[in-house]
Amino acid sequence: MSLARSRGAIAGIGELKPTRRTEGRTTLEMIAEVSRLAVFDAGLEPGHIDGLLVGPQVGETPQHVPATVAEYLGLKPDMANVVDLGGASGAGMVWRAAAAIEAGMCEAVLCVLANTREEVPARSPNRNPIREFDVPFGASGANISYALLMQAHMAEHGSSPQGFAAIAAWARANAQRNPDAIFHGKPASIDEVLASPMVASPLHLLEIVMPVAGGEAVVVVSAKRARQLAKPAVHLLGAGEKVTHRAVSQAPSLTSGPLKPAMARAFAQSGTRAAEMNLLSLYDCYTIMVAATIEDAGLCAAGQFGQWVRDHDLGPSGDAPLNTHGGQLGFGQPDLAGGMTHVVEAVRQLRGEATGRQIANAKLALVTGNGATMSEATALVLGADQ
Amino acid sequence: MSVDLDLLKTPGPTITALTAPFWQAASEGRLAIQSCEACGKAVFYPRPICPHCWSDRLAWREASGGGRLKSFSAVHKPGHPGWLPAVPYVVGLVELDEGPTMLSFIAAGEDACAVGQSLVLKPTRIGGRLLPAFKPSAMAGSTTPNQTGDTLMSTQTKDGWIGVIKGRPQVGAFAERSRRTRLEDIEAFTEMTGDRNPLHYDKALAEASVFGKLIVQGGVTSGILNALVAEDLPGPGTVFLEVGWKFVKAVGVDEMITGRVEIKEVRQDKPICKIETSVRNEAGDICLAGTATVFTVPLAKA
Ligand SMILES: [Zn+2]
């Protein structure tokens, strides 16, 4: 029998002895124990693991499951995912891990599933470390976490409230060219942003996205197939991903995030540089997120985003178009679909379909995604069909 | 802020057996964090394995209580309505002297906070419980209405656990140990004690009895608890002073049993603790349940 080319290999296994009850234990604890068995079985060290596939709802945490698990295990993976295929999840993880390795995203993927079983199920489904160690001290929700990041940036670099507010003002300005934006017809000046109520110092209300309902979708096919279809193809030229933590207290840095290595990989895969981008489609849940991304992309030195924003025109006809749809700060944040607005706008611009706000001769776009507290990062370099 | 934080209806921690020592210490006005015995690094928040080297040898240690303020925020619009009466209040990221960072309540006004400043532990009653909050160390000595921890910190008596190999255990700490019972256990126990009860030897008779099977002597079942206290928790040097056990269900031959001990009370002045004990079978049924008092002889060489 002749074997097909190997598409990947399983190098280590771990298994916990089944028990009827796990009273008082958490899924995260079980995951830690079985992961340790598998990684050591492979003769690897935790530092070798750069990919992570987990099941849904583990760690009694409804969202950000891979980041919660990665932080718990002290991992900082370059690829992380939930595989939610019921009983097919385990097998489903194996080919996805191999595909991610073949795509050049990572080299060693931990695929882990575990569960607890209690006589009386826990009263609250949320039993993750943030719920236990942050919430009792008065820190619930993303606003406070991003306020802490912003305060740290101001302390480390002396960045000014005006610099952050300028990002919100630009988002509002660009939203005036997008009739669909929630803030269409409602521009806001830097002074108006700074005069809005303080939510958690130093973060003002108008520096935070407005939650809205919405939806976004894209269809991905092969490059060959795309060229046979109706619309101009928009190509994925490079990608990068990085997950460093879940809770803000566990962030390796408060002023530079996982987008830095994620963007570096995306630029390297695509053979491009940040300065070559015709569109910066940057995830903007808060003004601080855009500030950190501008610096992490290498568009300016660390701490210099305020000067960079002052020196550039971020509108569609400017020298550094940034979030031409208004960003989420101007468009609104339809929950998780908010991140996809940055992909959809990049495709519009690269197809030449951004009516009323088209960037002339748009060839390259940088798209970033960000999750939790500058914790989960994905960067894409997209290119127009040549 | 003039509001009594203790009266706030704020959410408390979701404590598990693993994290209980942290919260027990907190309730005594102390800060306990884990320390990895393999790589030497301090670990926060509590985990079953070290996030740096994945060793499972983690020990609880008293933190110095000192730290540095990495960032802070005065919260005007809290994420939980229970905090509304206290706004604006300050939360901060505290880099502990031991290395890890924790988020905590900063018992000071925003104007008294600066990134980079030194902090000291300031146990503070919030929402009906004593929590490990911090305050700027420059403020040390000043008093606020919530200052309850400082007095607790100073009432420590002589440490009776000096010289104990595994040190003083924490309330809430537990250990488990499993083994499969064998026919040889019955024979060894008989050899030791002379107990030749037919329930342990006469298969036909035993199967016709209420037990329906050959069963091991109770001493074989409870013996796993001897191993647990002497090997795991509180560890080498431990002997039973008093036990109160109910043998709820008989254990047969070739059954996997799991013993469990959990620390319920710890004396500070003497190496004595009260523990909860149980032995379960493979199906999870309780076979033995009860409590015990143990004494741990200090055996560590100075
Ligand atoms: Zn370690």
Side-chain angles (χ1 to χ4, degrees):
Chain A
M1 169 179 122
S2 73
L3 290 172
R5 177 185 64 89
S6 170
R7 293 166 192 278
I10 296 170
I13 54 169
E15 189 170 75
L16 298 183
K17 184 176 139 37
T19 56
R20 295 272 296 146
R21 297 268 177 263
T22 55
E23 243 48 75
R25 307 195 63 207
T26 64
T27 316
L28 282 171
E29 293 170 36
M30 318 268 292
I31 282 177
E33 284 171 25
V34 74
S35 296
R36 180 171 185 268
L37 295 176
V39 170
F40 290 169
D41 178 63
L44 292 173
E45 297 294 324
H48 292 127
I49 301 299
D50 57 2
L52 177 66
L53 295 178
V54 298
Q57 294 281 328
V58 291
E60 295 74 22
T61 189
Q63 281 192 335
H64 307 290
V65 177
T68 302
V69 174
E71 176 190 291
Y72 199 87
L73 296 177
L75 298 176
K76 297 184 170 50
D78 297 331
M79 184 282 292
N81 252 132
V82 171
V83 178
D84 186 3
L85 297 174
S89 300
M93 284 174 173
V94 173
W95 81 256
R96 282 171 174 78
I101 293 166
E102 201 155 49
M105 302 305 293
C106 50
E107 290 179 0
V109 182
L110 171 65
C111 303
V112 61
L113 293 159
N115 69 305
T116 54
R117 196 165 182 281
E118 301 194 333
E119 202 140 14
V120 185
R123 53 284 144 201
S124 159
N126 273 12
R127 282 193 299 161
N128 53 63
I130 288 182
R131 174 63 191 82
E132 180 168 6
F133 293 101
D134 290 0
V135 171
F137 294 99
S140 312
N143 291 343
I144 296 170
S145 296
Y146 280 88
L148 292 166
L149 296 180
M150 192 168 162
Q151 184 90 267
H153 195 282
M154 292 169 79
E156 187 173 329
H157 299 298
S159 41
S160 71
Q162 285 75 15
F164 292 103
I167 290 167
W170 263 115
R172 289 294 188 98
N174 282 345
Q176 305 318 306
R177 295 169 184 270
N178 183 357
D180 290 342
I182 201 87
F183 289 117
H184 182 70
K186 293 181 187 130
S189 67
I190 292 175
D191 287 346
E192 284 170 315
V193 173
L194 293 176
S196 67
M198 193 67 88
V199 171
S201 69
L203 190 59
H204 301 86
L205 183 64
L206 296 196
E207 299 183 81
I208 305 173
V209 284
M210 165 89 79
V212 297
E216 309 275 329
V218 300
V219 175
V220 178
V221 296
S222 69
K224 187 176 161 215
R225 185 91 194 273
R227 291 201 171 97
Q228 299 161 355
L229 297 176
K231 293 293 187 76
V234 170
H235 299 279
L236 174 64
L237 303 180
E241 191 162 272
K242 188 76 177 172
V243 178
T244 49
H245 62 281
R246 170 64 184 93
V248 66
S249 66
Q250 306 301 309
S253 163
L254 297 179
T255 51
S256 171
L259 264 174
K260 187 169 185 169
M263 289 187 288
R265 186 188 289 264
F267 290 137
Q269 285 189 359
S270 59
T272 61
R273 292 179 300 115
E276 294 176 71
M277 298 297 133
N278 303 110
L279 169 67
L280 298 165
S281 201
L282 308 184
Y283 193 93
D284 61 339
C285 45
Y286 298 86
T287 50
I288 171 64
M289 193 59 223
V290 179
T293 305
I294 287 169
E295 295 176 6
D296 279 345
L299 290 164
C300 64
Q304 297 304 307
F305 83 88
Q307 186 64 43
W308 186 88
V309 170
R310 269 197 301 283
D311 288 349
H312 291 88
D313 181 335
L314 311 189
S317 54
D319 59 331
L322 191 153
N323 290 343
T324 44
H325 66 309
Q328 298 177 74
L329 286 166
F331 181 81
Q333 181 174 57
D335 205 69
L336 297 182
M340 192 70 115
T341 66
H342 298 275
V343 180
V344 169
E345 176 69 3
V347 172
R348 271 195 214 103
Q349 291 286 2
L350 295 174
R351 281 178 174 178
E353 289 182 347
T355 313
R357 58 178 190 274
Q358 180 62 46
I359 298 166
N361 202 23
K363 292 275 183 286
L364 289 170
L366 171 66
V367 176
T368 62
N370 161 70
T373 312
M374 215 160 81
S375 313
E376 303 142 327
T378 302
L380 307 176
V381 172
L382 301 181
D385 200 31
Q386 304 286 340
Chain B
M1 90 216 92
S2 53
V3 62
D4 186 348
L5 297 172
D6 200 21
L7 300 178
L8 295 178
K9 297 273 185 286
T10 54
T14 50
I15 305 169
T16 67
L18 177 85
T19 62
F22 175 88
W23 295 109
Q24 175 64 31
S27 74
E28 295 163 8
R30 298 181 294 111
L31 181 63
I33 61 172
Q34 289 175 308
S35 168
C36 176
E37 293 184 340
C39 73
K41 291 200 172 114
V43 173
F44 179 84
Y45 42 87
R47 295 165 168 90
I49 63 171
C50 167
H52 306 289
C53 73
W54 285 22
S55 162
D56 58 359
R57 291 190 294 125
L58 289 167
W60 286 97
R61 296 259 188 279
E62 192 90 12
S64 73
R68 191 184 67 89
L69 189 60
K70 278 168 73 177
S71 191
F72 65 95
S73 175
V75 181
H76 295 257
K77 308 237 182 292
H80 190 281
W83 281 93
L84 277 171
V87 298
Y89 62 90
V90 180
V91 297
L93 296 176
V94 183
E95 185 178 59
L96 303 174
D97 286 349
E98 289 76 12
T101 297
M102 70 179 281
L103 188 145
S104 188
F105 181 86
I106 307 299
E110 182 175 20
D111 294 343
C113 296
V115 170
Q117 75 187 157
S118 296
L119 301 171
V120 288
L121 183 69
K122 163 114 176 57
T124 303
R125 292 202 63 87
I126 301 173
R129 50 193 82 78
L130 194 57
L131 296 181
F134 287 79
K135 67 176 179 184
S137 53
M139 285 171 65
S142 70
T143 55
T144 73
N146 300 300
Q147 190 147 12
T148 46
D150 295 4
T151 44
L152 277 166
M153 292 291 277
S154 59
T155 55
Q156 295 197 346
T157 46
K158 147 182 132 37
D159 185 0
W161 292 84
I162 289 168
V164 166
I165 286 177
K166 287 202 172 187
R168 179 159 60 93
Q170 298 279 350
V171 171
F174 71 92
E176 292 188 347
R177 199 168 253 265
S178 298
R179 70 180 294 270
R180 190 169 283 283
T181 58
R182 303 168 306 168
L183 205 55
E184 295 83 63
D185 296 339
I186 296 176
E187 287 158 4
F189 200 82
T190 300
E191 182 81 4
M192 241 159 58
T193 63
D195 171 359
R196 285 201 158 273
N197 191 326
L199 286 170
H200 308 314
Y201 285 99
D202 191 329
K203 195 156 183 285
L205 204 79
E207 281 172 358
S209 76
V210 291
F211 299 113
K213 61 184 175 189
L214 268 187
I215 61 170
V216 301
Q217 291 99 334
V220 172
T221 304
S222 65
I224 196 166
L225 298 172
N226 289 66
L228 264 167
V229 300
E231 298 295 324
D232 305 318
L233 192 71
T238 303
V239 295
F240 284 107
L241 292 181
E242 189 183 342
V243 300
W245 288 336
K246 279 193 173 143
F247 289 84
V248 183
K249 189 166 187 168
V251 173
V253 177
D254 196 30
E255 279 189 30
M256 183 61 82
I257 55 170
T258 300
R260 185 181 197 280
V261 300
E262 180 174 334
I263 308 291
K264 302 308 276 187
E265 284 174 42
V266 179
R267 274 191 47 181
Q268 309 288 315
D269 57 332
K270 288 192 173 145
I272 290 176
C273 43
K274 287 200 171 151
I275 60 176
E276 198 170 88
T277 52
S278 68
V279 178
R280 287 174 186 261
N281 64 18
E282 218 155 346
D285 304 324
I286 295 264
C287 300
L288 175 156
T291 57
T293 305
V294 294
F295 180 89
T296 308
V297 183
L299 296 174
K301 293 188 179 74

